[in-house]
Amino acid sequence: MTGLEGHSVDVPARAVEDFSARIAGPTLQPGDAGFEEAVTIWNGMISKRPSLVVQPISMNDVREAIGFARSHGLLLSIKGGGHNIAGTSLADGGLTLDMGRMRRVEVDPERRIARVGPGCILGDVDPATQQYGLATVLGQVTQTGVAGLTLGGGFGYLTRRFGSTVDNLQEVEIVTADGNIRRAAEDEHEDLFWALRGGGGNFGVATRFTYRLHRVGPEVTGGRIFWDAESSDEVVRLFQDLAEVTPKELTLSLAMHLAPPAPFIPETLHGRPVVSITGCHTGELSKAAKDLAPIRSVGRPIADLMTQRSYVEQQSLLDPIYPKGLHYYWKSEFFPGLSEDLLRTCVEHADRLTSPMSHIILLQLGGALAELDTSTPFGNRDAAFVFFGVGAWSPDSPEPERHRGWVRSAWESVRPYSTGGNYVNAQTADEDESRMKEAYRDNLDRLRSVKATYDPDNLFRVNRNISPIR
């Protein structure tokens, strides 16, 4: 097996057997039923082979696994939803904790909180909370793991009303490197709680998250409207103008891409450049109709899917754009606003797309994100928009470097307009330490101090690692 420093570690078979006997959840090795499924993650570009996969079903299992990895000096990785683009949930030759069997969601509608297991995905949480007309701030793709999203900050359709995901995090139950179970909250282990709200998987293995819930839905107004790219200038100007006056209940995003081969797009337009606006209005339905009306006043849409729908349906709207198994490569930047030069640059690079699944997206932020007086490692409260240059292509594509090159070119062209920050959850495996410094900015030294307290030997290093001890 692989050790912390990358060298080979000889772990006797009897030691693995004894460890397996001490835990309730299964342990898997190459060749075992279920192993391949456990090591296949969302980004098909990532291919890593742990020597041992542990699937805990309890906090005690997690403690035992951490102790086993620590005592044998093993490289340890943590898999929540397996959706991280950098593939940090796996480590070649190491021990992977696959949290997928800990997917319990408990909703307390009276206190408006949800207790969520670390193996949950968004598609577990939203339906459970929406039974009571409640929701917390999560992302926009149902297969996203809740743990990774949260530990990196998190934002989505509700951010403009209620802040980031970590602004709505009330406490975390976590097992740290010494095997202790800790409750991190505003009134207990405050330094650790601060670090967990954006500092990634650097501090331990979370075994439960508790979120604040808000009245949302169950019906919202949302969807997408598509135009031929010939209308790009007009649509982009609309988005720019509308984003300055939208209420907090409305979040918009602008995407530039190729028309998907979907039944709602005329077949003659499949594969042609298009521009689309996605909206989600969680306010009163009558107000939503008024606030969204200007979008329909532009050009001649080729498809209009903006309608009243359930919040759960809205949350799954973008799932077809991000299927499991494609090769993905992203770059992100936060922007303080939208200048004409920035938008022109995005349009120019959208004209050079190299793959039918690649795209540029600008998501509206601001609102409560900027207004909340909250200190978290996930800062970026000066961001009114976030940019994603998304490269996505088939595993059998003969030109992977061409696709990555398009993403890097688009990203480099928009960087002059950035706040200087980027989203740590969108960092790819080839990002260097400078990108991490840009993501955390003034918070990095404080994060490293907390890391030194709870994980001085850097046991948790298969992540966007902040420790100077590598």
Side-chain angles (χ1 to χ4, degrees), residues 35-36 39-50 84-93 325-327 395 429:
F35 179 85
E36 293 301 326
V39 301
T40 301
I41 58 177
W42 170 75
N43 187 356
M45 189 189 300
I46 307 298
S47 179
K48 297 180 182 179
R49 305 282 294 182
N84 181 271
I85 189 165
T88 56
S89 57
L90 302 175
D92 280 326
L326 291 183
H327 287 197

Side-chain angles (χ1 to χ4, degrees), residues 1 112 117 142 176 191 232 248 289 318 335 430 439:
M1 298 181 73
R112 292 193 186 180
T142 61
T176 47
D191 57 342
S232 288
K248 295 176 187 177
L318 301 182
F335 298 135
D430 62 351

Side-chain angles (χ1 to χ4, degrees), residues 23-211:
I23 66 173
T27 58
L28 306 174
Q29 299 182 62
D32 290 345
F35 179 85
E36 293 301 326
E37 181 182 358
V39 301
T40 301
I41 58 177
W42 170 75
N43 187 356
M45 189 189 300
I46 307 298
S47 179
K48 297 180 182 179
R49 305 282 294 182
S51 292
L52 181 65
V53 174
V54 179
Q55 296 181 322
I57 62 173
S58 69
M59 189 166 49
N60 183 67
D61 284 358
V62 174
R63 292 181 66 185
E64 289 286 348
I66 290 175
F68 183 75
R70 186 181 62 246
S71 62
H72 290 281
L74 299 178
L75 194 60
L76 175 65
S77 62
I78 317 301
K79 178 188 173 189
H83 202 266
N84 181 271
I85 189 165
T88 56
S89 57
L90 302 175
D92 280 326
L95 186 158
T96 291
L97 262 177
D98 176 8
M99 309 299 285
R101 291 176 181 261
M102 298 178 70
R103 291 178 70 164
R104 187 172 182 178
V105 180
E106 299 175 349
V107 180
D108 185 336
E110 298 300 320
R111 296 175 61 195
R112 292 193 186 180
I113 61 172
R115 299 182 182 92
V116 177
C120 288
I121 59 174
L122 271 58
D124 297 319
V125 180
D126 286 319
T129 61
Q130 278 291 283
Q131 291 183 43
Y132 306 96
L134 299 170
T136 194
V137 179
L138 296 175
Q140 299 168 303
V141 178
T142 61
Q143 291 301 309
T144 303
V146 171
L149 173 85
T150 302
L151 295 174
F155 50 78
Y157 293 123
L158 301 181
T159 292
R160 288 172 45 75
R161 287 188 70 183
F162 307 119
S164 65
T165 302
V166 292
D167 289 332
N168 292 274
L169 183 64
Q170 291 194 331
E171 66 177 54
V172 181
E173 181 184 82
I174 186 169
V175 184
T176 47
D178 56 9
N180 284 322
I181 300 167
R182 304 179 191 269
R183 173 184 174 270
E186 291 283 5
D187 60 351
E188 188 174 355
H189 297 299
E190 298 93 332
D191 57 342
L192 180 58
F193 185 55
W194 175 85
L196 292 170
R197 287 178 290 170
N202 278 280
F203 308 97
V205 180
T207 53
R208 189 177 67 190
F209 299 88
T210 301
Y211 300 95

